[in-house]
Amino acid sequence: MRWLVIAVFGAFFGLFLTCGSAWAVNPDEVLSDANLEARARALSAQFRCMVCQNQSIDDSNAELARDLRVLVRERLVNGDSDEAVVNYVVSRYGEFVLLKPRFEGKTLILWGTPILLLAGGAVAMAVYAVRRRVRHEPDPLSAEEQEKLERILRES
């Protein structure tokens, strides 16, 4: 009996994982033209749900995400290009609506920070390694110390 419960739960969980994004887009939103629908899905995957913030509008069930999906589809039906749709949505909601920000002067810090952090870490590790190597190299013996060492070795 326990195995049956586990199997049913596992099947339900697997179905839940595979159908999660299909539940977000309502059937009344789907366009009849398959090419326009494919473009709408591709564009919807690029926009952030302003309510959920870590989901695309294509995956979100929020009302605002639904409104954005409908807006994207309306713009495509009216003949807008993909770039025009993206520019329109960004002009209304700002750059934050894009899940992958554009590479511009405004976002240079956003794109450059990981590179700078990696480069800084590499430089810090190199400096640490050099300082450690220099610190552990013994100083050469002076003539007086060398003579004292030879005398001790001769006596023993």
Side-chain angles (χ1 to χ4, degrees):
M1 180 67 176
R2 184 175 15 176
W3 292 106
L4 179 63
V5 172
I6 292 172
V8 169
F9 178 75
F12 176 74
F13 188 69
L15 181 65
F16 176 75
L17 288 178
T18 58
C19 296
S21 64
W23 292 341
V25 177
N26 298 327
D28 61 329
E29 299 174 27
V30 177
L31 297 172
S32 58
D33 183 358
N35 290 332
L36 282 179
E37 181 61 27
R39 285 176 57 201
R41 288 288 180 119
L43 285 170
S44 294
Q46 296 177 24
F47 296 126
R48 177 187 319 274
C49 173
M50 302 303 278
V51 176
C52 308
Q53 295 192 2
N54 285 329
Q55 284 184 320
S56 69
I57 62 171
D58 204 31
D59 296 332
S60 175
N61 288 324
E63 280 297 314
L64 181 59
R66 182 191 184 289
D67 294 343
L68 278 171
R69 288 192 303 265
V70 170
L71 175 72
V72 166
R73 283 166 173 75
E74 286 174 358
R75 301 290 296 194
L76 290 175
V77 168
N78 291 338
D80 284 1
S81 67
D82 292 358
E83 185 177 345
V85 172
V86 170
N87 289 337
Y88 179 76
V89 173
V90 168
S91 71
R92 286 186 69 183
Y93 296 97
E95 288 285 327
F96 184 73
V97 77
L98 295 174
L99 281 171
K100 183 179 178 189
R102 298 173 180 167
F103 187 75
E104 297 176 341
K106 298 184 282 189
T107 60
L108 188 59
I109 292 174
L110 176 69
W111 287 103
T113 300
I115 296 168
L116 290 175
L117 288 174
L118 285 173
V123 167
M125 286 175 47
V127 167
Y128 175 76
V130 167
R131 286 185 179 172
R132 183 177 170 134
R133 186 179 324 133
V134 168
R135 187 172 17 142
H136 288 304
E137 289 180 3
D139 293 332
L141 296 176
S142 66
E144 181 182 315
E145 292 171 330
Q146 184 68 34
E147 187 178 307
K148 187 175 181 181
L149 176 62
E150 289 174 5
R151 190 172 357 119
I152 292 173
L153 288 174
R154 277 192 304 244
E155 290 176 2
S156 60

